[in-house]
Amino acid sequence: MSAGGGTYVSHKTHYARLGHATQHLLPSFLQEVLLQFENPNQIYINCSRNRSLSRRLKPGDWERLKHAVQKGYFDFDIPLIYSILRNLHELDAQPTRGWEHPIDPLVNEIEIGDDMERCRRVRNEIIHRGNTRVNDQELNKYFYVFRTIADRLEKFCRKYNNEFVLEVDHLKTCCMDEATELKYLDDLTDYQEKDKENESKISDLELRLSAIRITGSSGDVEKRKHTLINLRQYQEELAEIALSGKNTIICAGTNSGKTYIAFHIIEDHLIKHPEGKVAFINRTNILLGQQYERACDVFSTLFYQRKINIWKAEEDDNEYFIHKIHNSSLMFLTPQSLSNHLTEKAKTPISIAEFTLIILDECHHTFDNSDYNKLMTYYRKAKYEEKLSSLPQILGLTASPGTKKVTDLNSAKHHLRTVMTNLAVSKLSIVKRNEEELLQYTTIPAKVFIRSNPRLDDPLKDIVILAMNYVESMFNCQKVSSFLIEHMNDYKDLYDALNKPPKQRSEIRYIQWIAETKDKVEHVLHKDPKIPRLLHACCRHLELYAECLEVNSLLEVDQVCNVITLGYANESAASQNAKNEEETEIVNKLKEVFVDIREIGRKIEKNPDVKALIELLDREYQKFKEDSRFLIFVKTRATARALVDVLPNYLRSTYLTGSHKCIDEDGLPATEQIAVLDSFRNGDHLCVVATSVASEGLDIPLCNLMIRYRFRANEISSLQMRGRVRRSKQGKEVHVGTFGGFETEEKNIKRQYLMTKAIKDVCELYMDIANAEKDNIHLPWLDHAGEFQSMLSNGDYLSYDNRLSLGGPCKAGKSTLASLLIGNEIPLNWNSTDGVVIYFGRNGIDIRKRKMVPLGEGQRGHEVFAKIIRGKPDVSNRSQISTRGQTNTSLDSSSQADITTSQSAKTDMTEEQMAITNSTHHSVFQHCITQTESVLKDTSILSHRAIFLTTNEIQTLECERLQIQSDILEEVRNGQYRIEIAPSDLIDFGGQKSYDMTHQLFIQHSGTFLLMFDGRFGLHTQLGEYPEGVTAASVLKHWVDSILTYTEDTEDCMPMIMFAATHRDLCKDDIVTMKENFTRDVIDMFSKHENRNHIFLDTVYFITGIDENDSEIQRMTDQVVMFAMKQSSWGQRRPMQWVPLELQLSNMRTKNINIVTREDLRNVNMLNDDLALNESQLENFLFVQHSLGKLMYYNLPGLNKHIIVHPPALVNILRSFVTDEMFFPADQCLTSILQTMTMTGKIYKKDLFKLWQQDPVHRYMPDNTIKEFVIQLLTHLDILIIPKGAEQNSSSSDVYIVPCTIKATRPSDFYLVDSMDERIICLRYTLARHSIPTALAYKIIGTAINSWPLKYEHQKPCLYHKASVLNVSEDNELRIWIEDNRVMVCMTNKNSLLSISPNIAASVQECLTRNIESSLLFHCKSFGRKITPTKVVDLYTIEAGIPCGSNICFIPSKDVLKIDSWKCDQEREHDTRYLRYWVFDKTQKMCVHGCEGLTTNELGIEPNDKHLVRLGGQIGIKLFEEFFINLGMNKKEWESTEYTYAGHNSNDIMSMALKQWRKTKLSKLEKPTLKDLTEALRAVNLDSHLICQVFRENTTLFEIADFNLQAIPSDRHLKELSNQIGNCPLQLGIELGLSFTEVDQSLFSFPKDLPGLVEDILMKWKRKSQVRTIHSLMLALERVNAGGIRYLLKLADANHANIT
């Protein structure tokens, strides 16, 4: 199982060793101790006489005592020995702090009783550990404790020759067989169970005794009075809210007694709730330890009942936790410890409802992703998801909630409300009535500023900076660069970090950068033993040098030398196992630095700050002498340790630093921290130099001087540090620092004032926080839940977001029904809808009556809307408004529901002002947007170029038009924002096939979809407006699939699909029968659909769309309302603070403002004064509005500066080029552009801009800035694709592919795989859902085009409808097409299957898979769905295939490695040899064991130029001559080749020799084959598998292919590149696809001009190659190990920057 001597030892073996120690080793030591106190012959009698002890002993204990005369103490265990000595020899064996003290014995407490206490505690800790995994570090820690105990006990027992110590050492390293190991493990389990049983029995007994004690003779429970804690009056005031049982935060300064107030509340709570459980939470073990010790002193009864316990962070995996909780009344924990046991994944999960009171000390940390906020997430989930009725009371304690570094009062209040909301707190507890008393106990020390005086000349700093430069240069060395480029996909963040170090080495930002980079390196250490190790060493050295800079700035040269000496010792030891010479070099550099510093040390002037600091301390010491207590704060541990050595001896200074999870980090353990504070308290130390650990929470003894020595703090730390000065009359707070530090402190003071003011203001407002909490659960898509909660704390309203979408084939009467539903005049003639029409807020729902209410044009204006939000709608009085089909509704304000809607702000929009309108021709559309308005005044709020109005006459917009009226703002502030009618959006989709992409922008949003068809022609009649074979049924199926493809499986009924047949009035057949037939047909089509629950199949409504009184329409709309009210978003809470901005956006749409800059929206938002949203709130607002389809906003670089306020504006822009021919413009030039695009799939940017100059489109994009934004957006949506192969700095880079407009059909030979069966392998991706929406199909094709260049034939791209042909390399092409729910892929090599590189095939598969997964993720996110990247693999399957006649036979990709062949459905045998290329392991450098090499047929192939060049590069020049002769050549021919190419490198010479061999064979009419080469390799004892390697490719750079690398380099760039490549022209030319002849010509044309030679080869490649991209050039350079790759990467980045 395990052994010493370096053999692997399991974690369980470690645990078994600990079991042996607790069961045998430690007891044997204590048995010897017991012998020093008690004679075995007398022990039974002595124990019998002690009444207290005799009651405690169990029957088994008496048996041991009885047999002690014969056996001695052989079987006495630790608990028995402890009990005997405690009761019989209490004084002689007593620990320093007494028996069972709550705190472990300190390192300086070494009495015999202390070691007994240690034995007892370590025994209990190991037995109750639960987690059997003990690592080496933990084992060493335990055995260090055992060894120190053994050393002292053997001296006490007068043992010699290290008797006990040697036993410990032997146990640590001895062999342990499996049986022994299992025995000790089983014994540990038995002990644990027995202890649990005993504690349970004791607990039950104590409960019964407690019930007897508190019950009088009459049976009534007596009321206990508070007797333990007496509070001052201001403390009683702070406790009031908590004593009433409500959640609160106690805000009071340091030293105000918050902990004792909490103890008072705990006592009251446990009296009221005897079965209650209190959790006292703090962030660190040392703070918990101090509070636990205090609690044990205060609640002594609970302590002796074992009802107070502490659970440390390192015990998180202990299964004993739940037992501990059940038997505790008061538990001290860290937030992470508790959270670890609240999660469902915990080994011992518990509910937060186990507790009745949770106290969070230093609760100002409860925001963002802090441990406190994560803990409170479980509280909110329990309340709203699990709906638990019994939840713990929450009490927060803090000196100041902080401001999060804000600079204004509103933001300070916002942060305070965020913290309150996160803690579920409605009211703060502050002192108001007893402020005077509080001031009597408040410390206000004098504040003194001392300006730091740095050295005038500091050569030491220069030496260290130069050393740091040297270390940083290692990040750019060849080895590191190659490693990072090779693993670019995995280590991109590390690559970026190493290339962007902060310039100022002495700033905290640099130290943070080192720590972050070091962390990134540690995550990749397992990947490679060399380079990451070097990077880690560099980071450690930079840390050391940064420490030196810090110590040098604060102290003297001697202290820097000490730091260097220690660091050099550590790094020298670490470098003994160095994997590369660079690591040794940086250690040597460190040695040089040490020598240089030591040499100049005496010449450097003394640090004036040190002298000033010592003089200050001396002056203060003279005032109080030995009563002095000084506390100095510094930034780093190294500085704290070093400063202690400088201070005067009479101060007996020490340091106090935090602990650290890693032993090597020099942290101070918690026990030693407490020991330091105790020594400080009793005067052993008069001065403590501390890091920030001493600033928060710790009980620091009385202190008369606090110095911040070049230590910058935030406003909370500053306040807490000041509170450490607890002698108010003569106490001082001294700041030694620079002007920058003083300015920071000035900001802290201002923020502290802001927080004080914010606390007072917020205390005036009672916050109904419950709704805020609830929304945090119901809105999981919010990234900033805290911000959202804070906004809700200002009030909320109920939102009723809903949409009704009308879809289906054209001429189905959708626009007619839309007009009826919104109260417009019904058109009697058919006009095809060109695009999408959205009627915002025109389709109202009467909440009380549950009826659909058309909202006419006049009812959407600001006046009516203002009445609605004031709760006084007068919808029934509409005599002045002429609208058809209006439903009279009487709304009584007394019966209002608390209802409002976020989209109710979208009002006051006339039909003519819509971005998309009903029209049949361009001229009609042109007429619709020629409305005019009066010219308004100029404004500085809205920029001219970003806000675009209806006509050219309107140039500016008066900002007052966007200023919400003050009375409405006041209603929002007062929470009176309510309505009775919820305006709903109505979307009318055009029926043309070209609109698949445009429709997808709106299909993505949830709601009810009414799919319509013309009842006269039914579902199965050919539609005249569509290609042959298209029926209403096929169109409806396409719609259903597009809507439901990625609908999540949730309880939400949305989206819901309904069906309606139209033109009932024109049908002559039996209407009832027709309706029944329609319903039956729809049921047949969709009853087995996987998302059947989202399809309403009860009936197909058969309507007359022009009849406003049609009863069928009434039934249909009633069903729509019913579905609307069932959706999860119905009645969802929204922040009241959103209302003003929603109204402003509505007003913008009224003014036909469609696209605004984010800066403009920010300025408009600021018009709302105190209701203005801050930056994070505004981001949340935009995110939600985008998810609801109210606007379009993408928080991505290049897209986040603009907002499309009116989404149909984008559709209007899209339909300028994504449209059917019937809507082409009259201008022949523009029509020609669109016709060319339809045929080729290409459109030039200049032509796109011409189309956008049309008036209907130009009004949205009057300048190029907006046009560029729209192009980037369309590129992001993959509507426009940047083609691969666009040359650098040329106009051709301004061409785009538009897949969704491609009408070209695939050529007849596209599927003829039988003619390519010897050159092709295939893949098939099958989506889990049974169809691929058209938009997703275009996305998949688009991402493929983004990865590889399109193939061109006859100067036309091979791009077809849902298909394309791509060039992967010169020899390999890729065919991709979409069939139903399948993505089909074929990879073809122009020569043979053998010539397909397995590396490339695997990379193609991985790239395609990534592209498909990213497309699926993008599609899901576009639909508002949330799916994790790990779950996306469930959405598809992959199969590999090979041609089988005219078909392709497939096998699951996971099976190709398991079997060598399989039989297809045609009973044909297929080999998996080449299919394995798709899943080839690219990490293997050589052939794996068992590789059979090439087959006989493959060995008969003639080697091509690349094969010869690659083989020559693997042999080596020394063996090559012999190899060459074994090919049948002679020595003379070899010498001739050497002479001819004497000026070239050895690889070139060998390659030309192999070329000569091939030529010679052919001249003899013999065929040169791979078999010839294989046999020659064997003849010279070389690995014949070298032949396999010539077919492999290095795909490292293949993995990072993106569109930046697919550009064509210009001639100028190739010329610059030729100077960086090096001497490898022949190899490079062949790898680039040139022939030997072409390269030979260049060799003789440039015999002595290497750059010219390389340039000539590159130019030939550019003229000849079909794949002349930067990326293909990089692949060739990497293959021949040439330079220039970094140059090309920078070139690609520069090109990308120019584009974006």
Side-chain angles (χ1 to χ4, degrees), residues 1179-1221:
E1179 193 72 21
N1180 260 340
F1181 173 83
L1182 292 173
F1183 182 87
V1184 175
Q1185 296 294 312
H1186 174 90
S1187 70
L1188 297 173
K1190 301 300 181 181
L1191 50 77
M1192 296 186 74
Y1193 170 70
Y1194 295 88
N1195 188 14
L1196 297 169
L1199 300 178
N1200 56 2
K1201 294 182 179 179
H1202 292 84
I1203 299 156
I1204 300 180
V1205 174
H1206 193 204
L1210 182 61
V1211 179
N1212 202 17
I1213 294 168
L1214 267 175
R1215 73 185 184 87
S1216 65
F1217 64 98
V1218 182
T1219 188
D1220 276 356
E1221 189 170 354

Side-chain angles (χ1 to χ4, degrees), residues 110-174:
I110 54 174
E111 297 295 331
I112 186 64
D114 295 320
D115 282 330
M116 286 173 51
E117 191 69 44
R118 288 187 180 94
C119 289
R120 182 183 71 87
R121 292 181 186 230
V122 77
R123 176 256 186 199
N124 292 342
E125 181 179 325
I126 291 171
I127 286 177
H128 298 314
R129 176 183 175 87
N131 177 16
T132 61
R133 293 180 59 84
V134 179
N135 59 37
D136 294 343
Q137 183 177 325
E138 291 176 301
L139 186 76
N140 292 335
K141 184 186 76 170
Y142 278 117
F143 270 86
Y144 173 78
V145 174
F146 299 158
R147 205 174 193 279
T148 55
I149 293 173
D151 181 56
R152 286 191 291 268
L153 292 185
E154 68 184 10
K155 292 174 183 176
F156 179 81
C157 298
R158 293 183 291 278
K159 301 288 182 180
Y160 298 100
N161 300 323
N162 292 329
E163 182 178 333
F164 289 177
V165 172
L166 289 175
E167 287 188 53
V168 173
D169 291 343
H170 176 71
L171 175 60
K172 183 179 178 183
T173 58
C174 70

Side-chain angles (χ1 to χ4, degrees), residues 291-305:
Q291 289 160 337
Y292 171 64
E293 187 175 355
R294 285 195 208 171
C296 291
D297 290 339
V298 172
F299 304 111
S300 55
T301 302
L302 287 177
F303 168 63
Y304 285 115
Q305 292 175 346

Side-chain angles (χ1 to χ4, degrees), residues 832-838 840 909 911-930 948-951 988-990 994-995 997-1002 1152-1155 1192 1204-1220 1223-1225 1234 1248-1262 1266 1270 1273-1274 1277 1279:
S832 179
T833 302
D834 182 11
V836 179
V837 179
I838 302 183
F840 283 106
M909 294 195 65
E911 207 66 22
E912 294 77 21
Q913 291 169 327
M914 296 300 298
I916 309 298
T917 60
N918 292 341
S919 63
T920 56
H921 196 268
H922 170 75
S923 59
V924 178
F925 175 69
Q926 174 69 28
H927 173 73
C928 292
I929 51 109
T930 55
F948 312 110
L949 308 181
T950 310
T951 69
D988 178 10
F989 287 99
S994 292
Y995 297 145
M997 285 302 290
T998 58
H999 287 181
Q1000 203 66 49
L1001 296 173
F1002 298 96
N1152 274 334
I1153 300 170
N1154 298 290
I1155 304 175
M1192 296 186 74
I1204 300 180
V1205 174
H1206 193 204
L1210 182 61
V1211 179
N1212 202 17
I1213 294 168
L1214 267 175
R1215 73 185 184 87
S1216 65
F1217 64 98
V1218 182
T1219 188
D1220 276 356
F1223 295 108
F1224 282 4
L1234 294 174
L1248 200 54
F1249 277 24
K1250 286 180 183 177
L1251 291 169
W1252 288 350
Q1253 286 301 318
Q1254 300 174 89
D1255 289 341
V1257 188
H1258 179 70
R1259 67 190 186 93
Y1260 300 113
M1261 303 177 291
I1266 304 304
V1270 171
L1273 177 57
L1274 297 181
L1277 297 173
I1279 295 171

Side-chain angles (χ1 to χ4, degrees), residues 931-942:
Q931 309 301 311
T932 59
E933 292 187 27
S934 59
V935 179
L936 304 175
K937 297 179 181 178
D938 191 15
T939 173
S940 61
I941 296 296
L942 301 173

